[in-house]
């Protein structure tokens, strides 16, 4: 391809809103242009790399037996009303009407579309497992699109959906998707960190996210220094660490020696820091108690002390009754924080948030700041595991300006449920090996997820099993964002001059730069193009009438892995030569045309094949 015949508008200027390297470089190298906030057009150079990522993903999906289909981007609103997500998805869902007034959504993801497709076709267990995928446009009305195509409103996702007769089959395909993801990211030249992820409220039983480390990542990851444990903070667990004082005392059976519970005056002292100062003690000797409101709780609450039944509604088919709204008290050691994602998972709730002040007053009978588990019987009390190790604690006394001290678990209070709901932090101990955990910021590129029966039951997908009985398939879903993957490759592979593409995703393999495209130089360049293209390589010939320096800068910016420079002087020598340089190398080498072509062809073919085996 001749540069003069393509459309690669490179820029020296950086757009003002481009704060990360990939955004700046995609813009400057002429890969993308912005149409509007969160909407980007791919220009020819950008699209070439985009298609390579797409094809790698397609090859790996095909290799695990997933079958490509192409549903529409516009999905009937009815399907989203059936699944309940018409309402629950909120403002990110773009809803539109057609000329007849019928509702549609612009697909932000496609569980409903695939479930509906399968519902109409599935009749027998013999059709299972059914493994389908698409590579298609998604739209999410993100509040704050940013970082270029990393978080845009319109983007392309590979989303696969699988339907199975049993958990074993689901697990097999889930594992196969996980292995395919590892190959996909390796072939794209990406270092990904697979982490355990929150599998959400509804029925999910396994979930893994594929993260890249990133300054701008909006996920916190916890990794173990000693083993390969890695988890999203939303899911991360740690070894239980009773505060040293209590664990030692407990070990000696000290609970019996704790002085009796005592109510004390704590005028105007509300925060744990203020109380610590007043009582000359540490936060870890407090029991912090928070009142939470949870929506759509699926956990069975009948019999939970203090639980009052709220309004209910019965969803379409099969899934358990859903409680609309419920309140809980959550008690945790004073130096720790409650992790709302873990809490939501324990309660099987679609959403949890701190209760409003008026609810706190109603529930605790005191202003905010005096809640505690002792004597609290208006809502179910959930204890973080750490609290069961506390036998001499300070906690709110459900009265303004009053606290208890010497509160002991088992003696002065218990809870309805004990669970791990703490936010794990750097320095905590690995749940697997006890090693030290540390934190990284990560950006999610892909996600694999066991959905279970959430959609198949709520949308009534069934089949007849080998005994002629009706069964619901269990389901998995598996997504990768192509645009974000592409941008992440640039984040990992660039320098101050531009992109340094890994060969499998480079827009071209070789850039040929004639100092002046005429005479013997032109002949040599044309030969190189013809021969390299014949060997299957993709070549960009910079035939523009520009200064060599301009062409060099553009080649560096575009990040094409190999550069050949042809000039009169080197070609006129006894043995005609050209300058050859890898984008990642500092200095060019003089090589004969044959030598250059042989070395480059061999290297490109080797690197294209790597990861395929
Ligand atoms: P995030 O937490 O970053 O919003 P998500 O959890 O909403 O991601 P999924 O619904 O799991 O993402 O979508 C699968 C993949 O689609 C993500 O891993 C990501 O690569 C991509 N993706 C999601 N939202 C966007 C977006 N706004 N722009 C570009 N890619 C996106
Ligand atoms: Mg999102």
């Amino acid at each position: 391809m001749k540069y003069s015949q393509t459309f690669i508008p490179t820029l020296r200027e950086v757009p003002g809103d481009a704060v990360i390297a990939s955004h700046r470089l995609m813009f400057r190298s002429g890969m993308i242009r912005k149409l509007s906030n969160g909407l980007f057009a791919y220009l020819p150079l950008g699209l070439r790399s985009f298609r390579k990522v797409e094809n790698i993903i397609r090859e790996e999906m095909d290799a695990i037996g997933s079958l490509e289909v192409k549903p529409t981007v516009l999905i009937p609103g009815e399907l989203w009303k059936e699944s309940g997500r018409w309402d629950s998805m909120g403002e990110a869902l773009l809803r539109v009407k057609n000329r007849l007034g019928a509702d549609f959504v612009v697909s932000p993801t496609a569980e409903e579309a695939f479930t509906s497709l399968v519902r109409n076709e599935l009749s027998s267990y013999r059709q299972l497992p059914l493994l389908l995928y698409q590579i298609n446009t998604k739209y999410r009305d993100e509040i704050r699109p940013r970082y270029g195509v990393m978080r845009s409103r319109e983007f392309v996702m590979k989303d696969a959906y699988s339907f199975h007769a049993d958990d074993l089959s689901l697990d097999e395909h889930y594992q196969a998707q996980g292995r395919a993801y590892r190959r996909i990211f390796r072939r794209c030249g990406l270092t990904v960190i697979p982490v355990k992820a929150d599998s959400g409220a509804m029925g999910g039983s396994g979930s893994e996210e594929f993260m890249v480390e990133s300054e701008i990542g909006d996920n916190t990851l916890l990794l173990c220094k000693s083993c390969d444990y890695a988890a999203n903070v939303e899911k991360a667990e740690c070894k239980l660490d009773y505060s040293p004082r209590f664990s030692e005392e407990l070990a000696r059976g000290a609970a019996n020696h704790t002085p009796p519970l005592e109510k004390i005056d704590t005028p105007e002292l509300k925060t744990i820091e203020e109380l610590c100062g007043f009582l000359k003690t540490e936060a870890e000797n407090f029991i912090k108690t928070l009142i939470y409101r949870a929506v759509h709780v699926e956990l069975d609450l009948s019999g939970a002390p203090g639980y009052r039944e709220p309004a209910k509604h019965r969803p379409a088919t099969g899934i358990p009754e859903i409680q609309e709204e419920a309140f809980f008290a959550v008690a945790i050691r004073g130096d720790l924080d409650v992790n709302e994602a873990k809490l939501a998972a324990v309660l099987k709730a679609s959403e949890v948030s701190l209760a409003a002040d008026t609810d706190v007053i109603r529930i605790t009978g005191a202003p905010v700041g005096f809640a505690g588990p002792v004597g609290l019987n208006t809502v179910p009390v959930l204890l973080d595991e750490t609290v069961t190790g506390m036998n001499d604690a300070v906690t709110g006394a459900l009265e303004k300006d009053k606290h208890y001290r010497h509160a002991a678990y088992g003696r002065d209070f218990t809870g309805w449920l004990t669970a791990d709901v703490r936010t794990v932090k750097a320095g905590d101990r690995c749940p697997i090996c006890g090693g030290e955990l540390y934190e990284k910021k990560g950006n999610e590129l892909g996600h694999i997820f066991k959905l279970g029966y959430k959609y198949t039951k709520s949308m009534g997908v069934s089949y007849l099993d080998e005994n002629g009985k009706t069964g619901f398939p269990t389901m998995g879903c598996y997504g990768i964002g192509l645009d974000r993957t592409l941008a992440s490759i640039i984040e990992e592979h660039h320098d101050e001059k531009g992109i340094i593409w890994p060969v499998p995703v480079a827009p071209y393999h070789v850039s040929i730069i004639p100092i002046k495209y005429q005479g013997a130089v032109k002949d040599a360049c044309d030969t190189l193009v013809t021969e390299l293209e014949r060997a299957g390589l993709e070549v960009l010939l910079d035939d523009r009438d520009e200064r060599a320096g301009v062409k060099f800068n553009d080649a560096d910016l575009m990040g094409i892995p190999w550069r050949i420079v042809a000039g009169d002087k080197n070609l006129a020598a006894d043995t005609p030569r050209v300058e050859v340089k890898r984008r990642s190398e500092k200095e060019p080498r003089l090589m004969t045309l044959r030598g250059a072509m042989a070395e480059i062809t061999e290297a490109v073919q080797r690197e294209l094949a790597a990861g395929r085996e």
Side-chain angles (χ1 to χ4, degrees):
M1 172 63 79
K2 286 185 171 153
Y3 203 125
S4 63
Q5 286 163 15
T6 179
F7 174 45
I8 310 177
T10 56
L11 291 172
R12 232 162 278 165
E13 299 305 313
V14 181
D17 61 345
V19 291
I20 59 167
S22 59
H23 188 185
R24 283 196 297 271
L25 293 171
M26 288 177 89
F27 213 83
R28 286 190 52 217
S29 66
M31 290 176 69
I32 57 166
R33 283 297 180 264
K34 178 168 159 177
L35 290 181
S36 170
N37 208 9
L39 297 181
F40 294 91
Y42 280 84
L43 304 187
L45 189 79
L47 196 58
R48 290 183 72 93
S49 286
F50 186 91
R51 292 279 184 243
K52 301 222 167 154
V53 172
E54 180 178 341
N55 285 332
I56 289 174
I57 294 176
R58 181 172 284 115
E59 280 180 21
E60 296 296 345
M61 285 299 109
D62 294 349
I64 58 168
S66 198
L67 305 169
E68 187 168 8
V69 294
K70 196 191 90 56
T72 53
V73 171
L74 215 58
I75 310 289
E78 285 315 310
L79 295 176
W80 282 71
K81 289 174 191 169
E82 258 186 72
S83 73
R85 289 207 292 185
W86 176 267
D87 294 318
S88 68
M89 184 100 183
E91 293 301 302
L93 184 65
L94 184 65
R95 302 162 177 91
V96 291
K97 281 189 190 300
N98 72 359
R99 65 169 84 195
L100 300 173
D103 285 321
F104 289 87
V105 308
V106 185
S107 200
T109 171
E111 284 78 4
E112 283 80 357
F114 277 75
T115 307
S116 152
L117 199 73
V118 169
R119 172 171 63 186
N120 298 333
E121 304 305 322
L122 184 66
S123 54
S124 159
Y125 70 95
R126 289 195 193 87
Q127 293 165 283
L128 297 174
L130 197 48
L131 317 171
L132 303 173
Y133 79 98
Q134 67 172 332
I135 299 179
N136 214 341
T137 299
K138 300 286 178 294
Y139 187 90
R140 294 183 184 180
D141 226 3
E142 300 273 357
I143 306 181
R144 216 155 68 79
R146 56 192 185 280
Y147 309 131
V149 301
M150 281 280 192
R151 183 173 300 284
S152 53
R153 291 199 166 122
E154 188 180 300
F155 57 96
V156 175
M157 199 200 286
K158 179 287 294 183
D159 43 331
Y161 304 86
S162 66
F163 299 81
H164 309 264
D166 54 49
D167 289 345
L168 192 70
S169 167
L170 170 61
D171 190 59
E172 240 170 52
H173 189 63
Y174 175 87
Q175 302 294 347
Q177 285 278 353
R179 287 192 298 274
Y181 275 39
R182 286 167 171 78
R183 282 194 300 273
I184 288 166
F185 293 124
R186 197 166 54 231
R187 287 176 64 184
C188 287
L190 279 165
T191 313
V192 292
I193 311 170
V195 300
K196 290 183 179 37
D198 176 29
S199 41
M202 309 276 200
S205 56
S207 166
E208 203 175 9
E209 289 164 334
F210 291 78
M211 298 279 183
V212 282
E213 189 176 354
S214 163
E215 285 292 310
I216 54 129
D218 37 28
N219 293 275
T220 301
L221 318 180
L222 283 129
L223 299 108
C224 179
K225 287 186 177 167
S226 315
C227 75
D228 58 5
Y229 179 79
N232 192 315
V233 67
E234 293 183 345
K235 174 78 179 174
E237 297 170 6
C238 66
K239 273 231 152 68
L240 197 54
D241 53 341
Y242 289 127
S243 67
R245 191 179 131 206
F246 292 119
S247 53
E248 283 160 25
E249 289 179 6
L250 271 182
R252 296 199 304 268
N256 300 333
H257 306 303
T258 305
L261 186 70
E262 182 189 353
K263 194 183 277 182
I264 51 172
D265 284 323
T266 51
E268 304 304 321
L269 304 174
K270 280 192 201 160
T271 66
I272 289 189
E273 294 79 68
E274 288 166 350
L275 283 159
C276 277
F278 179 71
L279 296 170
K280 306 212 166 16
T281 181
E282 307 293 328
E284 62 183 34
N285 299 329
F286 281 77
I287 299 171
K288 178 157 80 178
T289 306
L290 302 159
I291 309 298
Y292 276 96
R293 171 182 179 270
V295 181
H296 287 132
V297 176
E298 276 200 53
L299 190 66
D300 183 8
L301 295 172
S302 50
Y307 172 66
R308 244 176 270 124
E309 243 168 73
K312 282 182 195 166
H313 82 103
R314 190 179 283 278
T317 19
I319 57 174
E321 226 159 54
I322 288 179
Q323 323 292 330
E324 278 303 358
E325 174 187 83
F327 290 89
F328 299 87
V330 179
I332 191 166
R333 208 174 68 202
D335 59 324
L336 303 176
D337 293 313
V338 173
N339 184 323
E340 292 183 2
K342 284 166 77 171
L343 177 61
V346 168
L347 297 174
K348 300 192 182 12
S350 61
E351 199 184 305
V352 298
S353 55
L354 281 174
D357 288 2
T358 48
D359 288 319
V360 175
I361 294 166
R362 174 176 58 79
I363 288 162
T364 64
V368 175
F370 299 97
V374 181
L376 182 56
N377 54 18
T378 45
V379 286
V381 178
L382 194 152
L383 302 179
D384 180 68
E385 291 172 336
T386 50
V387 172
T388 62
M390 302 182 73
N391 65 347
D392 188 354
V394 179
T395 190
L398 308 176
E399 237 179 278
K400 183 172 175 358
D401 297 340
K402 302 277 183 200
H403 278 79
Y404 284 120
R405 71 174 155 199
H406 308 311
Y409 169 73
R411 184 187 72 179
D412 303 314
F413 69 93
T414 54
W416 155 65
L417 187 70
T418 300
D420 165 21
V421 293
R422 74 195 272 184
T423 300
V424 175
K425 293 190 288 254
D428 287 340
R429 296 282 144 196
C430 171
I432 305 295
C433 76
E436 192 182 332
L437 295 175
Y438 65 102
E439 286 180 16
K440 275 186 178 175
K441 287 273 167 232
N443 219 346
E444 178 197 320
L445 300 187
H447 196 170
I448 59 174
F449 201 110
K450 290 184 188 173
L451 284 167
Y453 300 96
K454 174 173 157 57
Y455 293 92
T456 53
K457 286 197 173 171
S458 68
M459 295 180 65
V461 184
S462 62
Y463 64 93
L464 291 181
D465 69 15
E466 59 262 56
N467 302 316
K469 275 184 39 196
T470 301
F472 294 103
T474 181
M475 192 175 162
C477 71
Y478 322 88
I480 296 182
L482 274 72
D483 312 74
R484 196 179 284 179
T485 297
L486 187 64
S488 300
I489 298 170
I490 299 174
E491 289 294 323
E492 191 169 333
H493 300 276
H494 72 273
D495 62 14
E496 66 293 345
K497 292 179 176 164
I499 305 167
I500 309 173
W501 287 111
V503 166
V505 288
Y508 294 95
H509 303 131
V510 191
S511 154
I512 298 181
I513 301 182
I515 300 295
K516 258 201 177 336
Y517 189 52
Q518 61 188 30
V521 172
K522 179 174 183 300
D523 293 343
C525 287
D526 291 348
T527 306
L528 283 166
V529 172
T530 312
E531 297 271 314
L532 287 169
E533 285 185 347
R534 190 174 295 152
L537 274 58
E538 298 164 19
V539 186
L540 182 67
L541 169 64
D542 197 343
D543 60 339
R544 291 176 300 170
D545 192 14
E546 291 280 1
R547 281 185 296 112
V550 171
K551 297 185 192 181
F552 292 168
N553 286 343
D554 278 346
D556 282 345
L557 183 59
M558 287 185 282
I560 299 171
W562 289 90
R563 187 184 85 181
I564 304 178
V565 178
D568 272 326
K569 209 178 100 212
N570 288 326
L571 283 173
D574 287 347
T575 320
R577 290 177 202 268
V578 286
E579 279 184 5
V580 175
K581 187 176 95 66
R582 274 204 88 132
R583 173 63 180 82
S584 53
E585 290 167 352
K586 281 255 169 312
E587 297 301 328
R589 288 171 289 148
L590 276 178
M591 298 180 80
T592 62
L593 271 67
R594 289 270 138 246
M597 287 191 290
E599 177 172 333
I600 294 173
T601 304
E602 188 278 324
V604 167
Q605 284 171 347
R606 179 168 30 82
E607 286 165 43
L608 282 175
R612 273 214 170 118
E613 63 278 357

